[in-house]
């Protein structure tokens, strides 16, 4: 699984739409679409914020499996 797919899966598993997630993170909803399409990736600070919001590790957030 790539990072974009993982970001989308995390959001969908929690029953959030892009607008709700964007509001919770204080970003524009278009950023959510861009990240989930793989056109752009969130910076490390936003990745940390996303992982904290979801209550998961950065490895889990980016779809890294061991």
């Amino acid at each position: 699984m790539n990072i974009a797919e993982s970001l989308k899966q995390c959001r969908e598993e929690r029953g959030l739409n892009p607008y709700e997630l964007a509001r919770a993170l204080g970003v524009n909803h278009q950023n959510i679409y861009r990240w989930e399409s793989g056109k752009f990736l969130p910076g490390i600070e936003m990745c940390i914020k996303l992982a904290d919001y979801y209550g998961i590790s950065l490895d889990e957030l980016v779809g890294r499996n061991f």
Side-chain angles (χ1 to χ4, degrees):
M1 176 181 307
N2 68 37
I3 294 171
E5 292 169 342
S6 179
L7 291 170
K8 186 172 184 176
Q9 181 180 354
C10 286
R11 178 182 55 77
E12 290 177 341
E13 285 177 354
R14 286 151 184 87
L16 298 168
N17 66 46
Y19 294 93
E20 293 168 326
L21 179 58
R23 192 175 316 116
L25 297 173
V27 299
N28 188 299
H29 70 277
Q30 292 176 342
N31 288 338
I32 306 299
Y33 287 113
R34 289 177 185 130
W35 299 338
E36 292 180 357
S37 71
K39 291 181 182 179
F40 295 95
L41 295 176
I44 189 64
E45 290 178 9
M46 184 54 67
C47 286
I48 293 168
K49 194 171 185 178
L50 282 160
D52 288 346
Y53 180 79
Y54 292 138
I56 60 176
S57 70
L58 286 171
D59 284 328
E60 292 172 297
L61 179 72
V62 298
R64 186 174 176 193
N65 297 323
F66 295 100

